[in-house]
Amino acid sequence: MDKRTYNIFFHLHTVSGIVISVILFVIFFAGSFSFFRDEIVNWEKDHSIEPTENLTMDYDATFDSLDTQYELYSREVSIAKHYIERRISVNLSTPQDTIANSQKGRKFFYLDTQNFETSDYYESYSLGEFLYRLHFLAQIPHPVGYYISGFTAFFFLFAILTGILIHWDKIVSNFYVFRPWAKLKTLWTDAHTALGTIGLPFQFVYAVTGAFFMIKALLVAPSVFVLYGGDQAKLYADLGYTEPSFEAENQKSPEPYSLNALVAQTQQDWEDFEVNHLHIFHYGDANMHVSIEGQLKRNRQFTGSGKRVYKIATGEIVEQTIPYTNTSYLEGVKNSLYRLHYGDYGGYALKVISFVLGLLSCFVIISGVMIWLVARDKKNIPEKRRIFNRNVALVYLAICLSMFPVTALTFLAVKTLHLSGQTPIYSVYFITWLIATVFFIFKKDLNFIHKYALLSGALLGFLIPIAHGVQTSDWFWISFLEGRIQSFTIDMLWISLSITALWAYLKLNSKTQKEIPQHHA
């Protein structure tokens, strides 16, 4: 590569990286915890459940309970298990027969499958849900947050490709040059190259899938007008996002039926099939149908969606997609993208690896900011520009690194103060994040930010399993011995993370403060 081309790619890599660095750090940091979203939710609520995507419940008892409370006749009823937790989502349509059914209006809520308690989205909001949604900026009003995270992922892909091009000639030799005991300037450069190379496949996958999920609507929108003549419904049908349609007879069904039996029959016919979605058309009507959907177990097949629709009056199968043979190319691509992004196909080993690679990506981002600053903190650069560059790095690092102690503090607050619901969690996290960020900015010391973000996060992190044990008597060694894997995982996650952060703090503290560029007002 000639020098001019190299310089073009180098500056493109630098600019694209520095512009998205803060948002990208938030996405990767929150996204790393999102791999353990379900474990966090169960840890919060002191629940221990079987780690399966299957709807393990008594369907007949559940629908009888819902019918008593909400009068289901002539409604479309959908229940789904999106996560590995006790609650499931329930969606009730407006009744078709408004004369026979006096209950009007749509309803959406969550149902606890063990005690049948119901709650709305805001009441049942959890820290696990918060961190999961933070990693695609869902707290910013829709669709702005989605688009920001999507375009950040897109530009991150651009930064990855330009980074490969500028390091290509020395990518192998530089990978083996990692000097963690050298001065910090050298450490930042070596870490950015070596850890960036290690995490390259991981980062590429998440850049592609993240951009796909968040900005696919913008990518698909032109095809609605060009290929489908503005017919959005036809596009959704081709993409497989539509449900079958059945006409109601507006007469109550006299035939007895058992949803438990239909689900059992489906799972008997399809070995290793896990049901995660049940959709009932015209509940209690003479033309009532039920759609049973799910996936094959991950250890059986990487992607295998299945669906079977029964007519209740006759018990006949009116439509089905056999997961072993009938999965379409489009369905396979969609499911593969989801599996790759969520990392849920390899058990806890893959989750831990993904978590570590996510945090390593955060370190690559921070080291990139530090390299950018060091390169622009030279005597030949005007003092005003140097001060501006330091201020930019100061704000970037204050926002990013304060996430670690703030996240640990929120875990502590959830467990000790029994916080639940969207507003309390928002208040604790965002207010403490703002306070910590402002505090670090006013310290005007990059060395201080690095060291004490790590130290405070480590100390708070050590308190999390202690607080959990005091509150519940479910100490991590007890949860391990008794098989409560979700609780044990979160406690050990924080113990491991805190030990690592404390080790990093001690290593940084052994360096001279002059090795990190300081900010002066």
Side-chain angles (χ1 to χ4, degrees), residues 329-507:
Y329 173 78
L330 178 63
E331 194 69 25
V333 170
K334 288 193 298 182
N335 287 337
S336 296
L337 289 173
Y338 277 106
R339 299 287 69 78
L340 288 171
H341 193 82
Y342 287 115
D344 58 359
Y345 55 90
Y348 278 103
L350 182 60
K351 286 189 176 186
V352 170
I353 292 171
S354 299
F355 178 80
V356 171
L357 288 173
L359 294 184
L360 284 179
S361 299
C362 292
F363 189 80
V364 170
I365 295 166
I366 294 299
S367 61
V369 173
M370 294 305 300
I371 292 170
W372 174 86
L373 176 60
V374 169
R376 286 155 183 78
D377 197 47
K378 299 177 180 177
K379 292 182 179 180
N380 63 330
I381 296 176
E383 183 64 20
K384 286 186 177 180
R385 187 180 296 178
R386 291 169 66 188
I387 292 174
F388 174 78
N389 292 338
R390 292 169 188 162
N391 284 333
V392 170
L394 185 70
V395 172
Y396 277 20
L397 294 179
I399 294 172
C400 294
L401 294 181
S402 60
M403 280 191 76
F404 179 40
V406 166
T407 302
L409 181 65
T410 309
F411 268 82
L412 267 178
V414 163
K415 185 53 64 174
T416 57
L417 303 178
H418 306 288
L419 290 184
S420 63
Q422 189 180 77
T423 301
I425 291 175
Y426 272 29
S427 300
V428 170
Y429 198 96
F430 287 125
I431 291 175
T432 54
W433 193 5
L434 176 62
I435 292 171
T437 299
V438 172
F439 172 74
F440 281 142
I441 289 174
F442 276 96
K443 286 298 294 183
K444 298 181 180 180
D445 186 341
L446 295 176
N447 189 32
F448 181 91
I449 296 174
H450 280 93
K451 291 197 298 184
Y452 288 97
L454 288 170
L455 179 61
S456 58
L459 296 178
L460 290 169
F462 280 125
L463 292 175
I464 291 170
I466 296 174
H468 180 228
V470 170
Q471 290 285 326
T472 65
S473 297
D474 187 20
W475 299 93
F476 64 89
W477 60 86
I478 296 175
S479 60
F480 175 74
L481 293 173
E482 296 184 357
R484 291 189 290 275
I485 191 66
Q486 291 95 356
S487 175
F488 171 77
T489 299
I490 299 305
D491 284 346
M492 288 307 300
L493 192 71
W494 275 107
I495 291 172
S496 304
L497 193 56
S498 298
I499 291 172
T500 305
L502 186 59
W503 174 83
Y505 163 77
L506 294 174
K507 291 301 177 184

Side-chain angles (χ1 to χ4, degrees), residues 66-77:
L66 291 174
D67 193 23
T68 302
Q69 296 180 66
Y70 300 102
E71 197 173 346
L72 300 183
Y73 175 69
S74 79
R75 292 182 187 269
E76 289 198 12
V77 185

Side-chain angles (χ1 to χ4, degrees), residues 238-268:
D238 287 350
L239 291 176
Y241 291 128
T242 56
E243 291 282 0
S245 178
F246 303 100
E247 292 293 329
E249 295 183 6
N250 293 325
Q251 294 180 0
K252 292 191 176 183
S253 172
E255 302 294 332
Y257 61 89
S258 171
L259 295 175
N260 287 339
L262 295 177
V263 171
Q265 180 62 50
T266 303
Q267 293 184 308
Q268 182 180 337

Side-chain angles (χ1 to χ4, degrees), residues 314-333:
T314 62
E316 65 178 306
I317 300 170
V318 298
E319 179 184 324
Q320 72 173 351
T321 301
I322 300 174
Y324 308 110
T325 58
N326 292 152
T327 301
S328 66
Y329 173 78
L330 178 63
E331 194 69 25
V333 170

Side-chain angles (χ1 to χ4, degrees), residues 142-199:
H142 183 272
V144 178
Y146 285 25
Y147 290 159
I148 292 175
S149 62
F151 280 109
T152 298
F154 178 78
F155 285 112
F156 179 48
L157 180 62
F158 190 73
I160 291 172
L161 296 176
T162 52
I164 293 172
L165 290 172
I166 63 176
H167 290 294
W168 183 255
D169 292 338
K170 297 182 178 180
I171 198 166
V172 175
S173 59
N174 285 355
F175 175 76
Y176 292 102
V177 180
F178 187 40
R179 295 157 285 184
W181 316 119
K183 60 182 181 178
L184 285 173
K185 179 180 176 181
T186 304
L187 172 62
W188 296 128
T189 304
D190 290 351
H192 192 74
T193 304
L195 297 180
T197 304
I198 291 171

